[in-house]
Every structure is written in C-alpha cells, then in structure tokens.
Amino acid sequence: MITIRNANDRGHAQHGWLDSRHTFSFADFHDPDQMGYRTLRVINEDRVEPGQGFGTHPHRDMEIISYVLEGALEHKDSMGTSSTIRPGEVQRMSAGTGVLHSEYNPSHAEPVHFLQIWILPENKSLKPGYEQKAFPEEERKNQLRLVASRDGRAGSLTIHQDVDLYTTLLSKGGKVRHALKPGRFGWVQVARGSVSLNGQAMKTGDGASVSGEKTLELVSTGDAEVLLFDLA
C-alpha cells in the first residue's frame, strides 16, 4: 500500500528569516495523524535567509540528518565540530546524551535550502557524534546511492537505527527500482521535480508511506531529486 502525503497538506511556519514546511508534527504544527512514520520522526523543508540561522540550542536522543539542496549551511556544536555543508554532502549528528549546536547560512546573498531529518535512535543516552560525507553526482545519477545506514556500508554515514537512506538524481525518463524485504517499510520524499512511484504521481514536497510492497519503482517525468528510506 502506498499513501501519498501531499506537499500542500504539510505544516507551514514563516518566521521571516525562516520558511519551513513540516511533513510531520513539529513545533506549533500538531496533527495526531502525522507524528512520523516508523522511526522517521521529522522531515522539515527549510529555507533560511542570507546571514540568518538557528542559534545555539540543545538536542538529545535523536539522529539528525541535514541534506542541503541549494546554498550552504554552516554547522557548529559543543563537540567542537565546525563545518559547512553544501549540495551533494550529507551530515549526521547523533545527539545522544545531549549536544548544543547551531546552523547558520553564511552567505550574504543566497538563501540556503535544505531538508532537516530526525530519526529516533535504537537506544537512548548514546555518546554524541558527528559525521559528514560527500556523495558525487555521478554516484546518484539515475541510480540509488546509499547515504546513511546502520552499518555504514558502501561508504555511507552511520546512524544508530535500522534505517537505510538512499538518494537519487533522476533525469527525465530516468528509472530506479528498490526491493523491500518482507517486514520492511518505505518512505519516499520528493525533494524536487516530479516522479511516479509504482504508477502514482508525486511532485516536489510530496512524501509517501509504503507498506506491503515488494518493489518500489520510481520513474521521473522531469529532472528530480528523491530520498528513499528503507525502514524496519
């Protein structure tokens, strides 16, 4: 079964410096029917104005993934990490027992557009950690590239949960397939562009929960960027 979560049904927060769309309940947006999917708790599509950002704030017991679509995102945290994330790079921060961090748009001219993803960890009170890796376009073009996994295989980021996160860049007519093992679930998030998922149309910002499907087939109807979560 595939259930589409329409982009227009997401929560919306406009703070001047921040424009944020919430796939699941977050902050002031609360929908008891949209509290996440399996261990996937948050997918926020954020746009931050030049020279603005999220000031230092705490997190704990959460795996947080940042996926930049346009612009650059500057990260600093209480573990001593200082880095900048750009398109093609993925960041994982394990909040664990507690971490302070800030996210800032260092540009004076261009906004930063990114996805903020939260995954519930398999255990609480883990040691905080940080990881960032680049995934070249040629590794994602019309193919699924594993960018995060529990075991860090194939050069992916390591996350503390039984989740495989793939991403792909599809050109018009591009097609990828992913097999779901028995008892596994999926979530598909269209970051931009338009695709069909097992024949169902999806557009920018749409998400879809997947259960009871053996195979997922994504076909692009134009250039598209898609994230696919394989979930326990």
Side-chain angles (χ1 to χ4, degrees):
M1 183 173 70
I2 295 174
T3 303
I4 304 295
R5 170 77 165 139
N6 193 284
N8 294 332
D9 294 332
R10 295 178 295 174
H12 182 214
Q14 174 56 257
H15 300 292
W17 63 273
L18 168 68
D19 184 285
S20 185
R21 305 278 174 169
H22 311 318
T23 294
F24 305 119
S25 293
F26 187 85
D28 292 334
F29 170 64
H30 180 76
D31 182 340
D33 294 326
Q34 300 294 339
M35 297 301 296
Y37 187 68
R38 310 298 295 178
T39 54
L40 181 57
R41 177 60 188 84
V42 168
I43 302 177
N44 288 349
E45 181 182 2
D46 291 341
R47 288 178 169 85
V48 177
E49 290 298 305
Q52 301 292 322
F54 302 88
T56 302
H57 60 284
H59 284 290
R60 63 175 298 133
D61 294 327
M62 195 66 69
E63 301 290 286
I64 301 174
I65 295 172
S66 296
Y67 186 97
V68 175
L69 296 166
E70 296 173 293
L73 187 67
E74 184 179 279
H75 169 92
K76 293 183 179 180
D77 63 44
S78 55
M79 295 177 285
T81 308
S82 180
S83 65
T84 302
I85 313 144
R86 295 180 173 84
E89 298 177 331
V90 186
Q91 172 206 86
R92 183 268 303 167
M93 186 180 75
S94 297
T97 54
V99 67
L100 297 169
H101 78 114
S102 63
E103 309 292 337
Y104 179 76
N105 181 359
S107 173
H108 297 294
E110 301 296 330
V112 58
H113 179 200
F114 70 103
L115 298 179
Q116 179 185 167
I117 299 160
W118 294 11
I119 295 171
L120 298 167
E122 56 192 352
N123 294 303
K124 292 187 176 182
S125 299
L126 297 168
K127 181 180 178 181
Y130 181 90
E131 196 176 10
Q132 179 179 332
K133 290 187 177 181
F135 299 93
E137 184 173 321
E138 58 267 23
E139 294 182 7
R140 298 177 287 141
K141 193 70 172 178
N142 293 318
Q143 58 186 324
L144 289 168
R145 175 59 163 106
L146 184 69
V147 298
S149 64
R150 187 190 216 170
D151 56 6
R153 68 188 183 279
S156 61
L157 299 170
T158 302
I159 53 176
H160 299 95
Q161 185 52 268
D162 186 7
V163 174
D164 290 336
L165 170 57
Y166 298 86
T167 183
T168 184
L169 299 172
L170 294 171
S171 54
K172 186 176 182 179
K175 180 188 299 184
V176 293
R177 289 183 177 179
H178 178 72
L180 281 178
K181 294 180 179 179
R184 301 290 292 185
F185 299 80
W187 183 274
V188 173
Q189 188 71 29
V190 181
R192 50 188 166 189
S194 56
V195 299
S196 70
L197 171 62
N198 290 15
Q200 295 195 43
M202 297 181 68
K203 63 184 184 307
T204 300
D206 285 354
S209 61
V210 181
S211 62
E213 301 283 335
K214 292 182 178 179
T215 304
L216 300 182
E217 182 179 79
L218 284 165
V219 181
S220 180
T221 51
D223 290 344
E225 186 165 3
V226 183
L227 284 72
L228 187 156
F229 298 82
D230 186 317
L231 304 154

